[in-house]
């Protein structure tokens, strides 16, 4: 078991944009825990020293965000299965005295769909747009939930092929242009690319939700804006849509539980608090 403590962090470079302090601060207050969750800007050159000083500074763990997810993966004494498969660490804690790195993004993705689209598993083929770090977490979640027909479509085909080889049976790789042919029998469409994110311009994905069957669920890991152009198009077709904010909220749950010893809940109140700040 983890050793609950009173001090946790999120490190990144930059870090000011992180929404995690809001989430964990809310839970600390809600549970009356006299602890802290601190946003700390750590430059890449200072990462090893920061990690080496964790215990001495009274930290029981924390979150890791850009650009440190891969470096911390390499530096953690021990890693959980999700981190191994995803190749990145977003959560650190001490276990049996060892700094342990985990990845809770796949958990967050699945928990978000469980909340808003129960029955999403077993819905038929899944089409995943994108082949970066976020796609790895999504594919790991899909495989964990028994998906056996996962189609990765990416602008750079070689990256989709890399993920196909990494995740093995039941995963196929496709160029982005092939997406229209992949949708007709798909039960789930997931955007893991940054297309649709506020400030990214007017790029579009060649993924028309009108080509999906009526029972399909469409979700996006982008949550600014909450309703991306893809989700808006899917909703206009009468399809079930799930925005990406729930993934952010749910991925925070396992970390808080490890550091502070209480399993927090993702409530409408927490969601409203974070939405107010988007
Ligand atoms: P993350 O870790 O957030 O997934 P990433 O590794 O940079 O970030 O991956 C971003 C993903 O968005 C990639 O799949 C990228 O496609 P490429 O592999 O071809 O670069 C995809 N992406 C970004 N901008 C895109 C665009 N304008 N059109 C299509 N795909 C795009």
């Amino acid at each position: 078991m983890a050793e609950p403590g009173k001090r946790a962090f999120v490190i990144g470079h930059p870090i000011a944009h992180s929404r995690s302090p809001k989430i964990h601060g809310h839970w600390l207050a809600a549970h009356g825990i006299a602890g802290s969750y601190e946003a700390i800007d750590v430059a890449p050159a200072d990462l090893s020293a920061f990690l080496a000083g964790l215990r001495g500074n009274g930290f029981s763990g924390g979150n890791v965000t850009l650009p440190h997810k891969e470096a911390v993966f390499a530096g953690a004494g021990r890693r959980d299965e999700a981190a191994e498969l995803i190749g990145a660490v977003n959560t650190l804690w001490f276990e049996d005295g060892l700094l342990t790195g985990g990845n809770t993004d796949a958990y967050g993705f699945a928990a978000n769909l469980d909340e808003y689209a129960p029955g999403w598993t077993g819905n038929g083929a899944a089409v995943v747009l994108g082949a970066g770090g976020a796609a790895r977490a999504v594919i790991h979640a899909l495989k964990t939930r028994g998906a056996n027909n996962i189609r990765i479509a990416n602008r750079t085909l070689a990256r989709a092929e890399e993920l196909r080889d990494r995740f093995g049976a039941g995963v196929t790789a496709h160029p982005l242009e092939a997406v229209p042919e992949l949708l007709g029998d798909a039960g789930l469409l997931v955007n893991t690319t940054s297309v649709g994110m506020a400030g990214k311009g007017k790029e579009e994905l060649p993924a028309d939700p009108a080509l999906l069957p009526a029972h399909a669920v469409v979700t996006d890991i982008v949550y600014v804006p909450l309703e991306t152009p893809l989700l808006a198009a899917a909703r206009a077709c009468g399809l079930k849509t799930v925005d990406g904010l729930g993934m952010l909220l749910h991925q925070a749950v396992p970390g808080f539980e490890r550091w502070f010893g209480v399993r927090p809940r993702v409530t409408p109140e927490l969601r409203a608090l974070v939405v107010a700040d988007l």
Side-chain angles (χ1 to χ4, degrees):
M1 263 310 285
E3 301 137 44
K6 298 288 182 198
R7 200 174 175 206
F9 59 82
V10 55
I11 52 169
H13 185 66
I15 195 59
H17 64 281
S18 173
R19 269 129 191 149
S20 295
K22 189 132 234 178
I23 299 169
H24 292 284
H26 172 76
W27 284 334
L28 283 170
H31 291 284
I33 297 171
S36 68
Y37 182 91
E38 303 158 40
I40 306 175
D41 193 314
V42 176
D46 302 328
L47 182 64
S48 318
F50 178 81
L51 295 178
L54 286 183
R55 263 294 162 79
N57 286 315
F59 283 112
S60 53
N63 287 126
V64 180
T65 187
L66 300 179
H68 300 312
K69 288 183 172 195
E70 277 85 16
V72 170
F73 174 86
R78 183 151 86 177
R79 297 182 286 255
D80 74 2
E81 195 196 0
E84 287 293 351
L85 285 161
I86 296 167
V89 161
N90 76 342
T91 306
L92 285 166
W93 66 92
F94 286 96
E95 198 167 320
D96 306 325
L98 270 184
L99 184 62
T100 305
N103 193 306
T104 64
D105 284 335
Y107 165 81
F109 175 79
N112 186 31
L113 287 179
D114 286 345
E115 182 177 352
Y116 291 103
W120 64 277
T121 53
N123 221 5
V127 175
V128 178
L129 308 174
R136 294 205 296 269
V138 166
I139 294 161
H140 176 54
L142 292 172
K143 290 213 83 167
T144 305
R145 293 304 190 89
N148 56 15
N149 189 351
I150 302 169
R151 301 162 179 168
I152 311 170
N154 197 45
R155 179 176 62 182
T156 310
L157 178 60
R159 290 186 86 193
E161 289 171 340
E162 244 171 68
L163 289 205
R164 174 199 63 198
D165 297 345
R166 183 183 189 102
F167 286 97
V171 182
T172 54
H174 310 264
L176 210 50
E177 304 78 60
V179 169
E181 298 139 45
L182 304 176
L183 297 180
D185 62 345
L188 181 68
L189 173 63
V190 187
N191 175 42
T192 75
T193 75
S194 49
V195 177
M197 197 182 282
K200 286 274 172 186
K202 287 266 171 268
E203 299 151 331
E204 276 186 31
L205 293 162
D208 180 359
L211 298 172
L212 287 161
H215 70 275
V217 174
V218 181
T219 187
D220 206 316
I221 63 142
V222 171
Y223 55 86
V224 183
L226 269 182
E227 187 169 79
T228 61
L230 178 69
L231 294 184
R235 197 165 56 88
C237 297
L239 297 175
K240 175 95 191 152
T241 61
V242 181
D243 68 51
L245 183 59
M247 178 175 172
L248 172 76
L249 303 177
H250 281 286
Q251 65 75 33
V253 169
F256 188 94
E257 183 177 24
R258 289 197 183 274
W259 313 319
F260 300 112
V262 178
R263 189 165 182 87
R265 285 194 316 122
V266 173
T267 57
E269 189 190 358
L270 172 64
R271 191 180 154 88
L273 196 75
V274 177
V275 166
D277 239 24
L278 289 181

